[in-house]
mmCIF file of all heavy atoms in Angstrom:
data_model
loop_
_atom_site.group_PDB
_atom_site.id
_atom_site.type_symbol
_atom_site.label_atom_id
_atom_site.label_comp_id
_atom_site.label_asym_id
_atom_site.label_seq_id
_atom_site.Cartn_x
_atom_site.Cartn_y
_atom_site.Cartn_z
ATOM 1 N N MET A 14 32.409 -14.394 21.295
ATOM 2 C CA MET A 14 31.083 -13.798 21.542
ATOM 3 C C MET A 14 30.042 -14.410 20.612
ATOM 4 O O MET A 14 30.347 -14.891 19.527
ATOM 5 C CB MET A 14 31.154 -12.273 21.307
ATOM 6 C CG MET A 14 31.461 -11.868 19.877
ATOM 7 S SD MET A 14 31.624 -10.059 19.785
ATOM 8 C CE MET A 14 32.252 -9.856 18.123
ATOM 9 N N THR A 15 28.794 -14.356 21.082
ATOM 10 C CA THR A 15 27.696 -14.953 20.325
ATOM 11 C C THR A 15 26.740 -13.872 19.831
ATOM 12 O O THR A 15 26.455 -12.935 20.575
ATOM 13 C CB THR A 15 26.937 -15.965 21.213
ATOM 14 O OG1 THR A 15 27.852 -16.991 21.628
ATOM 15 C CG2 THR A 15 25.783 -16.598 20.463
ATOM 16 N N VAL A 16 26.307 -14.004 18.583
ATOM 17 C CA VAL A 16 25.331 -13.062 18.030
ATOM 18 C C VAL A 16 24.153 -13.833 17.452
ATOM 19 O O VAL A 16 24.273 -15.024 17.140
ATOM 20 C CB VAL A 16 25.943 -12.166 16.920
ATOM 21 C CG1 VAL A 16 27.077 -11.295 17.485
ATOM 22 C CG2 VAL A 16 26.433 -13.008 15.754
ATOM 23 N N LYS A 17 23.024 -13.130 17.347
ATOM 24 C CA LYS A 17 21.854 -13.715 16.705
ATOM 25 C C LYS A 17 21.814 -13.170 15.279
ATOM 26 O O LYS A 17 21.957 -11.959 15.070
ATOM 27 C CB LYS A 17 20.592 -13.304 17.475
ATOM 28 C CG LYS A 17 19.321 -13.977 16.957
ATOM 29 C CD LYS A 17 18.108 -13.548 17.779
ATOM 30 C CE LYS A 17 16.837 -14.199 17.238
ATOM 31 N NZ LYS A 17 15.635 -13.601 17.882
ATOM 32 N N VAL A 18 21.628 -14.048 14.300
ATOM 33 C CA VAL A 18 21.610 -13.622 12.895
ATOM 34 C C VAL A 18 20.241 -13.935 12.302
ATOM 35 O O VAL A 18 19.724 -15.039 12.470
ATOM 36 C CB VAL A 18 22.713 -14.315 12.072
ATOM 37 C CG1 VAL A 18 22.866 -13.632 10.727
ATOM 38 C CG2 VAL A 18 24.035 -14.319 12.832
ATOM 39 N N LEU A 19 19.668 -12.936 11.623
ATOM 40 C CA LEU A 19 18.349 -13.100 10.999
ATOM 41 C C LEU A 19 18.435 -12.880 9.492
ATOM 42 O O LEU A 19 19.271 -12.105 9.018
ATOM 43 C CB LEU A 19 17.356 -12.077 11.576
ATOM 44 C CG LEU A 19 17.134 -12.069 13.085
ATOM 45 C CD1 LEU A 19 16.234 -10.884 13.478
ATOM 46 C CD2 LEU A 19 16.511 -13.380 13.542
ATOM 47 N N PHE A 20 17.559 -13.564 8.744
ATOM 48 C CA PHE A 20 17.490 -13.400 7.288
ATOM 49 C C PHE A 20 16.028 -13.194 6.908
ATOM 50 O O PHE A 20 15.148 -13.837 7.489
ATOM 51 C CB PHE A 20 18.037 -14.641 6.583
ATOM 52 C CG PHE A 20 19.372 -15.076 7.110
ATOM 53 C CD1 PHE A 20 19.477 -16.165 7.983
ATOM 54 C CD2 PHE A 20 20.527 -14.382 6.769
ATOM 55 C CE1 PHE A 20 20.698 -16.552 8.492
ATOM 56 C CE2 PHE A 20 21.761 -14.771 7.286
ATOM 57 C CZ PHE A 20 21.858 -15.863 8.156
ATOM 58 N N PHE A 21 15.798 -12.328 5.909
ATOM 59 C CA PHE A 21 14.417 -12.052 5.504
ATOM 60 C C PHE A 21 14.212 -12.176 3.994
ATOM 61 O O PHE A 21 15.166 -12.079 3.207
ATOM 62 C CB PHE A 21 13.992 -10.648 5.950
ATOM 63 C CG PHE A 21 13.812 -10.534 7.441
ATOM 64 C CD1 PHE A 21 14.828 -10.025 8.233
ATOM 65 C CD2 PHE A 21 12.644 -10.974 8.053
ATOM 66 C CE1 PHE A 21 14.672 -9.933 9.611
ATOM 67 C CE2 PHE A 21 12.484 -10.889 9.429
ATOM 68 C CZ PHE A 21 13.502 -10.371 10.212
ATOM 69 N N ALA A 22 12.950 -12.396 3.640
ATOM 70 C CA ALA A 22 12.472 -12.344 2.259
ATOM 71 C C ALA A 22 13.222 -13.333 1.363
ATOM 72 O O ALA A 22 13.418 -14.489 1.754
ATOM 73 C CB ALA A 22 12.555 -10.907 1.744
ATOM 74 N N GLY A 23 13.623 -12.896 0.166
ATOM 75 C CA GLY A 23 14.262 -13.802 -0.776
ATOM 76 C C GLY A 23 15.524 -14.446 -0.224
ATOM 77 O O GLY A 23 15.842 -15.605 -0.522
ATOM 78 N N LEU A 24 16.225 -13.705 0.608
ATOM 79 C CA LEU A 24 17.446 -14.241 1.205
ATOM 80 C C LEU A 24 17.130 -15.373 2.189
ATOM 81 O O LEU A 24 17.781 -16.426 2.192
ATOM 82 C CB LEU A 24 18.207 -13.110 1.913
ATOM 83 C CG LEU A 24 19.633 -13.402 2.367
ATOM 84 C CD1 LEU A 24 20.535 -13.770 1.184
ATOM 85 C CD2 LEU A 24 20.206 -12.200 3.114
ATOM 86 N N ARG A 25 16.105 -15.181 2.983
ATOM 87 C CA ARG A 25 15.640 -16.231 3.906
ATOM 88 C C ARG A 25 15.277 -17.500 3.134
ATOM 89 O O ARG A 25 15.668 -18.616 3.507
ATOM 90 C CB ARG A 25 14.422 -15.724 4.695
ATOM 91 C CG ARG A 25 13.739 -16.776 5.564
ATOM 92 C CD ARG A 25 12.529 -16.222 6.304
ATOM 93 N NE ARG A 25 11.513 -15.638 5.429
ATOM 94 C CZ ARG A 25 10.706 -16.341 4.622
ATOM 95 N NH1 ARG A 25 10.772 -17.670 4.594
ATOM 96 N NH2 ARG A 25 9.849 -15.727 3.845
ATOM 97 N N GLU A 26 14.569 -17.317 2.013
ATOM 98 C CA GLU A 26 14.169 -18.479 1.213
ATOM 99 C C GLU A 26 15.382 -19.168 0.586
ATOM 100 O O GLU A 26 15.467 -20.395 0.558
ATOM 101 C CB GLU A 26 13.183 -18.058 0.118
ATOM 102 C CG GLU A 26 11.789 -17.790 0.653
ATOM 103 C CD GLU A 26 10.765 -17.594 -0.461
ATOM 104 O OE1 GLU A 26 11.171 -17.405 -1.640
ATOM 105 O OE2 GLU A 26 9.568 -17.629 -0.158
ATOM 106 N N ALA A 27 16.325 -18.367 0.087
ATOM 107 C CA ALA A 27 17.511 -18.941 -0.565
ATOM 108 C C ALA A 27 18.349 -19.740 0.439
ATOM 109 O O ALA A 27 18.913 -20.789 0.105
ATOM 110 C CB ALA A 27 18.354 -17.826 -1.193
ATOM 111 N N LEU A 28 18.430 -19.246 1.670
ATOM 112 C CA LEU A 28 19.243 -19.912 2.693
ATOM 113 C C LEU A 28 18.496 -21.061 3.357
ATOM 114 O O LEU A 28 19.107 -21.917 4.011
ATOM 115 C CB LEU A 28 19.688 -18.904 3.762
ATOM 116 C CG LEU A 28 20.501 -17.715 3.249
ATOM 117 C CD1 LEU A 28 20.888 -16.798 4.400
ATOM 118 C CD2 LEU A 28 21.755 -18.201 2.506
ATOM 119 N N GLY A 29 17.182 -21.070 3.225
ATOM 120 C CA GLY A 29 16.386 -22.118 3.848
ATOM 121 C C GLY A 29 16.267 -21.975 5.357
ATOM 122 O O GLY A 29 15.871 -22.916 6.051
ATOM 123 N N THR A 30 16.610 -20.797 5.884
ATOM 124 C CA THR A 30 16.479 -20.558 7.330
ATOM 125 C C THR A 30 16.263 -19.068 7.593
ATOM 126 O O THR A 30 16.721 -18.219 6.811
ATOM 127 C CB THR A 30 17.732 -21.040 8.093
ATOM 128 O OG1 THR A 30 17.516 -20.833 9.500
ATOM 129 C CG2 THR A 30 18.975 -20.265 7.679
ATOM 130 N N GLY A 31 15.571 -18.759 8.670
ATOM 131 C CA GLY A 31 15.283 -17.372 9.015
ATOM 132 C C GLY A 31 16.177 -16.828 10.105
ATOM 133 O O GLY A 31 16.279 -15.628 10.277
ATOM 134 N N SER A 32 16.826 -17.717 10.858
ATOM 135 C CA SER A 32 17.673 -17.223 11.948
ATOM 136 C C SER A 32 18.616 -18.305 12.456
ATOM 137 O O SER A 32 18.373 -19.503 12.280
ATOM 138 C CB SER A 32 16.809 -16.733 13.114
ATOM 139 O OG SER A 32 16.169 -17.831 13.727
ATOM 140 N N GLU A 33 19.708 -17.858 13.057
ATOM 141 C CA GLU A 33 20.575 -18.788 13.779
ATOM 142 C C GLU A 33 21.340 -18.018 14.854
ATOM 143 O O GLU A 33 21.471 -16.792 14.807
ATOM 144 C CB GLU A 33 21.534 -19.497 12.831
ATOM 145 C CG GLU A 33 22.612 -18.635 12.226
ATOM 146 C CD GLU A 33 23.592 -19.488 11.393
ATOM 147 O OE1 GLU A 33 24.528 -20.051 11.983
ATOM 148 O OE2 GLU A 33 23.383 -19.591 10.167
ATOM 149 N N SER A 34 21.815 -18.771 15.815
ATOM 150 C CA SER A 34 22.648 -18.195 16.854
ATOM 151 C C SER A 34 24.066 -18.647 16.534
ATOM 152 O O SER A 34 24.294 -19.815 16.205
ATOM 153 C CB SER A 34 22.207 -18.738 18.212
ATOM 154 O OG SER A 34 22.432 -17.783 19.200
ATOM 155 N N LEU A 35 25.020 -17.731 16.611
ATOM 156 C CA LEU A 35 26.351 -18.056 16.098
ATOM 157 C C LEU A 35 27.442 -17.541 17.047
ATOM 158 O O LEU A 35 27.431 -16.365 17.429
ATOM 159 C CB LEU A 35 26.494 -17.383 14.722
ATOM 160 C CG LEU A 35 27.698 -17.745 13.855
ATOM 161 C CD1 LEU A 35 27.623 -19.212 13.421
ATOM 162 C CD2 LEU A 35 27.733 -16.852 12.623
ATOM 163 N N ALA A 36 28.355 -18.449 17.423
ATOM 164 C CA ALA A 36 29.524 -18.047 18.213
ATOM 165 C C ALA A 36 30.595 -17.603 17.226
ATOM 166 O O ALA A 36 31.020 -18.386 16.367
ATOM 167 C CB ALA A 36 30.012 -19.204 19.068
ATOM 168 N N LEU A 37 31.025 -16.354 17.333
ATOM 169 C CA LEU A 37 31.955 -15.808 16.333
ATOM 170 C C LEU A 37 33.405 -16.166 16.650
ATOM 171 O O LEU A 37 33.828 -16.052 17.804
ATOM 172 C CB LEU A 37 31.816 -14.294 16.278
ATOM 173 C CG LEU A 37 30.480 -13.731 15.801
ATOM 174 C CD1 LEU A 37 30.561 -12.215 15.727
ATOM 175 C CD2 LEU A 37 30.118 -14.302 14.441
ATOM 176 N N PRO A 38 34.175 -16.557 15.628
ATOM 177 C CA PRO A 38 35.620 -16.733 15.812
ATOM 178 C C PRO A 38 36.269 -15.368 16.066
ATOM 179 O O PRO A 38 35.701 -14.329 15.746
ATOM 180 C CB PRO A 38 36.085 -17.332 14.489
ATOM 181 C CG PRO A 38 35.009 -17.048 13.508
ATOM 182 C CD PRO A 38 33.734 -16.875 14.274
ATOM 183 N N GLY A 39 37.458 -15.377 16.644
ATOM 184 C CA GLY A 39 38.113 -14.148 17.088
ATOM 185 C C GLY A 39 38.269 -13.066 16.042
ATOM 186 O O GLY A 39 38.123 -11.883 16.345
ATOM 187 N N GLY A 40 38.497 -13.416 14.794
ATOM 188 C CA GLY A 40 38.799 -12.404 13.784
ATOM 189 C C GLY A 40 37.609 -11.629 13.277
ATOM 190 O O GLY A 40 37.772 -10.653 12.535
ATOM 191 N N VAL A 41 36.384 -12.012 13.654
ATOM 192 C CA VAL A 41 35.194 -11.375 13.089
ATOM 193 C C VAL A 41 34.714 -10.251 14.014
ATOM 194 O O VAL A 41 34.195 -10.510 15.094
ATOM 195 C CB VAL A 41 34.077 -12.409 12.866
ATOM 196 C CG1 VAL A 41 32.817 -11.718 12.354
ATOM 197 C CG2 VAL A 41 34.540 -13.480 11.890
ATOM 198 N N ALA A 42 34.921 -9.004 13.580
ATOM 199 C CA ALA A 42 34.650 -7.865 14.466
ATOM 200 C C ALA A 42 33.583 -6.906 13.931
ATOM 201 O O ALA A 42 33.152 -6.000 14.633
ATOM 202 C CB ALA A 42 35.942 -7.079 14.700
ATOM 203 N N THR A 43 33.141 -7.114 12.666
ATOM 204 C CA THR A 43 32.148 -6.207 12.061
ATOM 205 C C THR A 43 31.048 -7.024 11.378
ATOM 206 O O THR A 43 31.209 -8.235 11.150
ATOM 207 C CB THR A 43 32.793 -5.318 10.977
ATOM 208 O OG1 THR A 43 33.256 -6.171 9.913
ATOM 209 C CG2 THR A 43 33.970 -4.521 11.530
ATOM 210 N N VAL A 44 29.941 -6.357 11.029
ATOM 211 C CA VAL A 44 28.872 -7.064 10.308
ATOM 212 C C VAL A 44 29.383 -7.529 8.938
ATOM 213 O O VAL A 44 28.956 -8.571 8.443
ATOM 214 C CB VAL A 44 27.587 -6.216 10.164
ATOM 215 C CG1 VAL A 44 26.983 -5.897 11.529
ATOM 216 C CG2 VAL A 44 27.841 -4.963 9.376
ATOM 217 N N GLY A 45 30.313 -6.789 8.348
ATOM 218 C CA GLY A 45 30.913 -7.225 7.078
ATOM 219 C C GLY A 45 31.702 -8.515 7.261
ATOM 220 O O GLY A 45 31.636 -9.429 6.426
#
Side-chain angles (χ1 to χ4, degrees):
Chain A
M14 64 184 171
T15 300
V16 298
K17 185 179 179 190
V18 193
L19 303 174
F20 311 102
F21 289 97
L24 192 60
R25 173 181 57 72
E26 285 189 346
L28 302 180
T30 183
S32 69
E33 69 175 275
S34 211
L35 190 66
L37 295 184
V41 177
T43 64
V44 297

